Amino acid sequence: MAQLHNLLTDVAGVRVGHATDLALGSGVTAIVFDQPAVASGSVLGGAPGGRDTDLLNPAMTVETVDAFVLSGGSAFGLDAAGGVQAGLREQGRGLQVGTTRVPIVPQAILMDLLNGGNKDWGRHSPYRDMGYAAFTAADDTAFSLGTVGAGTGATTATFKGGLGSASAVASGGYVVAALVAVNALGSATVGDGPHFWAAPFEQAGEFGNKGIPSGFSASDTAMRLKGVTLTATTIGAVVTDATLSKAQAHRMSILAHDGLARAVLPAHLSSDGDTMFAAATGLKPLEAGAHFAEICHLASIVMARAIARGIYEATALPVAGAQPAWRDRFA
């Protein structure tokens, strides 16, 4: 097996690219599959925004996608999938429909319009061009985390949000990995301290090696929310190289939400748009036994780890009054 980088691109056949605009305070991340991947997803937040998410329902006809897109910009950001679609079309990619091809590119967006960045973009939003830029930047090697791509303008109740990723290998050799933009209404950290709710799952000090508190006070477990509501949503994807059905991919997306609930307190609120995609590249046949259960288990864990990494790697936006990053206080 090739060297792993603890990133989504540890799954063979997956490329990731970012477009980042710090002045805008927003960005786009494209997850591009070298070959169409069996895919599904699930939405558990109360205020989601997405494109082509209904086709991911296991009951719907289309089974594979060419890419996923995660973007800032709230509803304006939905233009980003058009940019990724344009790049795929240039390469002749997409679902064959008669004499033409239609790239299948589901997208989820997060709300980052009130973070202090300059959103005065004129008549048309910049997100279609940013989607194309993220697509052309997509590579199958290591990529940046933190205040990049879809995580550029992300915030949480306590610290600057960001883009995170993590991977793991199942006992059967299957790679399972997650990528997430953490813009939660709640908090990924315990109380006012440096500890992450995802600490029990940390590997090799990937988010500071702070461990867990020796005890939990009422203040530690009290609800912490952003001062401005309707600025939330954690969006992400889990991917494996195993061969899965669309129904199995859907189940894996639900387990990704379990990871979110283990890493953010509270999650899935009425003002969150929490959306999780799932995909299987099918490079390795799924063997009988408990392998699928383990893949789902790892999907939950890598998502929790990726969320903590997104906060840990983030840096504050270069704008007045920007939310401080975890590193500003604890690094």
Side-chain angles (χ1 to χ4, degrees), residues 3 27 34 57 90 125 148 185:
Q3 179 183 358
D34 290 345
N57 185 312
E90 287 176 344
S125 90
V148 295
L185 193 62

Side-chain angles (χ1 to χ4, degrees), residues 70-112:
L70 308 179
S71 173
S74 189
F76 298 105
L78 291 173
D79 290 343
V84 174
Q85 211 171 29
L88 287 162
R89 188 171 185 267
E90 287 176 344
Q91 295 182 355
R93 294 282 305 276
L95 177 69
Q96 189 74 48
V97 182
T99 59
T100 191
R101 286 186 176 273
V102 181
I104 306 300
V105 186
Q107 178 182 356
I109 50 91
L110 57 81
M111 169 61 171
D112 59 3

Side-chain angles (χ1 to χ4, degrees), residues 11 16 34 48 62-63 67 79 82 113 120 124 141 157 161 177 186 224 233-234 236 259 293 309 319:
V11 180
V16 172
D34 290 345
V62 175
E63 293 194 346
D79 290 343
L113 298 179
D120 186 18
H124 299 292
T141 57
R224 283 172 167 75
T233 296
T234 297
R309 290 191 82 194
V319 298

Side-chain angles (χ1 to χ4, degrees), residues 22 50 83 90 99 101 104 107 119 144 149 172 180 185-186 195 210 227 245 248 294-295 327:
L22 294 177
E90 287 176 344
T99 59
R101 286 186 176 273
I104 306 300
Q107 178 182 356
K119 306 303 192 294
S144 298
V180 62
L185 193 62
H195 308 283
K210 297 293 185 180
S245 67
Q248 288 173 319
E294 186 183 8
I295 287 171
R327 289 172 177 260

Side-chain angles (χ1 to χ4, degrees), residues 283-321:
L283 296 179
K284 298 177 182 177
L286 184 64
E287 298 178 3
H291 293 286
F292 179 60
E294 186 183 8
I295 287 171
C296 289
H297 170 71
L298 290 178
S300 177
I301 290 177
V302 295
M303 180 55 69
R305 291 167 50 206
I307 287 169
R309 290 191 82 194
I311 306 299
Y312 174 74
E313 297 287 353
T315 54
L317 285 175
V319 298

Side-chain angles (χ1 to χ4, degrees), residues 223-250:
M223 183 171 66
R224 283 172 167 75
L225 299 179
K226 289 180 185 177
V228 180
T229 59
L230 299 178
T231 61
T233 296
T234 297
I235 53 178
V238 287
V239 181
T240 181
D241 55 6
T243 301
L244 301 183
S245 67
K246 190 175 182 182
Q248 288 173 319
H250 181 250

Side-chain angles (χ1 to χ4, degrees), residues 265-294:
L265 186 72
H268 304 131
L269 292 170
S270 58
S271 294
D272 281 310
D274 299 334
T275 300
M276 291 293 162
F277 297 139
T281 62
L283 296 179
K284 298 177 182 177
L286 184 64
E287 298 178 3
H291 293 286
F292 179 60
E294 186 183 8

Side-chain angles (χ1 to χ4, degrees), residues 21-27 112-113 115-119 127 152-154 317 319:
D21 188 330
L22 294 177
L24 177 69
S26 190
D112 59 3
L113 298 179
N115 58 17
N118 180 13
K119 306 303 192 294
Y127 289 98
T152 300
L317 285 175
V319 298

